[in-house]
Amino acid sequence: MHGLAPVVVADRGSARLAAGHPWVYRSDVTRPAAQPGFAAVHDRRGRPLGWAAVHPTSQLAVRLVHAHDTPVDEATLVALVEAALARRAMLELAGVDGYRCVHAEADGLPGLIVDRLGPVLVIQNGCAALEPHLGAVLQVLQARLAPSGVLARFDGAAREREGLERAVRVLAGEVPEVVEVSDGVLRWPLRPHAGQKTGTFLDQRLNHLRLAGYARGAALDVFAYHGGFGLHLLRGGAEHVTLVDSSATALAAARAAAARNGLPEPELVRADAFEHLRALDRAKARFDVIALDPPALAKRARDLPRALAGYKELNLRALRLLAPGGVLGTATCSAHVQEAEFLNVLADAAADAGRTLHVLGRFGAAPDHPERLGFPESAYLSFVLLQAL
Ligand code: SAH
């Protein structure tokens, strides 16, 4: 690795790093990096603050790797991958072979996502500093996990901001069109080349099981994707399950997954969820259990007010469809919406719907998506289990 000159940050940047946040934005950098790479970070008096992935033009100018003054080299990155894998060892014992091996900043590796989907690994990288070292990262992943193939899903928007090319390509071995993954209970046929994200939403794995504990009667899974909530509800004993999603491909995969697990066929509705919830209300439909798992409505901080209005509308509509004593599992995966704010929205929706809500549990993403204290963006997923009287 060639040595880059230290990057100097303004007081606001130093304060953020001191508070445990790994990012300093471009506007808080007084001497930026000449090129992407790893560099020491100094405050304006020249005091070392740590080592970071740095970028000359990206808004994320500094992404801290560690807060001590030891250069980040390839051995550092390999050690971070090893530590991330060690944190997940217990999952393998539970028979789970679909999980996140590396969760970017929360595992100390800026912008790097590695998901294990059964026999294959799927990698996303949104950090230009890391890109030249992906070979070394790949080597340790292959040595530890012996995948039959590794796929780069380099099609995310984050790559463009870092000046990285966008493409989907096989990096090693073979990556079949369909792979099968176990969440410890059900088996899921997934399409790593074409599915949303790296093929599925691994972060909701435990929340699927939590809601399934309340399975009964008629259940509705809104923003279902492959039916992670709905199929677990079917398995848990719900009599009738309806999946709603705007993607026909996702619903076809849900049907295939139900068949693969010997479950009855769920009812599939391809529709806009906002409109369909209204239609169900007009038809006076009622459900005993509802899952509500929209995509991130606030992708940027400035979307927040509109996003909160969206969450309120969805939850209000879901509450209107919920039978007395019914259970709602409701999620937000917006990095800009913290749990306390989400609970306020839910209380608002309950007031408007004239329902009393009991919180049966509050959860985040599965532990293979660790959070990092001081970095609220890593606590992006809130899942609340509610019973409505
Ligand atoms: N509940 C799923 C993950 C859902 S991801 C699980 O636990 O695995 C969000 C889903 O919402 C995606 O499948 C996407 O296709 C769908 N979606 C996005 N916008 C939508 C809309 N307006 N109406 C219905 N579905 C939508």
Side-chain angles (χ1 to χ4, degrees), residues 196 201 204 208 223-225 228-229 245-247 250 271-273 293-295:
Q196 296 186 32
F201 297 86
Q204 292 282 32
H208 295 154
F223 302 98
Y225 194 54
F229 287 103
D245 202 282
S246 56
S247 158
D272 173 75
D293 186 19

Side-chain angles (χ1 to χ4, degrees), residues 321-356:
L321 296 173
L322 206 57
V327 172
L328 171 65
T330 181
T332 162
C333 61
S334 298
H336 301 285
V337 178
Q338 294 298 298
E339 191 198 58
E341 207 156 13
F342 189 48
L343 290 171
N344 281 336
V345 167
L346 297 175
D348 251 15
D352 284 14
R355 305 292 290 270
T356 303

Side-chain angles (χ1 to χ4, degrees), residues 7-8 20 28 48 58 69-70 86 121 124 146 154 180 186 199 260 325 388:
V7 163
V8 180
D28 293 329
S58 166
D69 196 22
T70 318
L121 297 178
Q124 294 179 315
F154 287 171
E180 197 169 273
L186 297 178
R260 169 67 183 86

Side-chain angles (χ1 to χ4, degrees), residues 23-26 53-55 57-63 105 162:
W23 294 343
V24 179
Y25 294 111
R26 181 74 184 75
V54 294
H55 197 285
T57 54
S58 166
Q59 278 311 305
L60 295 183
V62 170
R63 299 156 99 175
E105 270 82 342
E162 295 264 322

Side-chain angles (χ1 to χ4, degrees), residues 88 98-103 113-116 198 202 368-369:
R88 276 96 174 157
Y99 61 90
R100 181 150 292 184
C101 308
V102 176
H103 188 43
I113 301 278
V114 182
D115 283 349
R116 175 168 175 201
T198 59
L202 298 168
D368 46 318
H369 300 61

Side-chain angles (χ1 to χ4, degrees), residues 145-199:
L145 300 172
S148 64
V150 182
L151 181 71
R153 281 291 298 265
F154 287 171
D155 47 348
R159 287 184 63 84
E160 218 147 88
R161 293 193 283 274
E162 295 264 322
L164 297 168
E165 48 123 25
R166 288 170 78 169
V168 176
R169 60 170 191 270
V170 174
L171 296 180
E174 279 182 32
V175 181
E177 205 185 321
V178 178
V179 297
E180 197 169 273
V181 168
S182 171
D183 64 11
V185 181
L186 297 178
R187 302 199 63 83
W188 300 89
L190 301 177
R191 293 176 183 275
H193 295 266
Q196 296 186 32
K197 303 266 168 155
T198 59

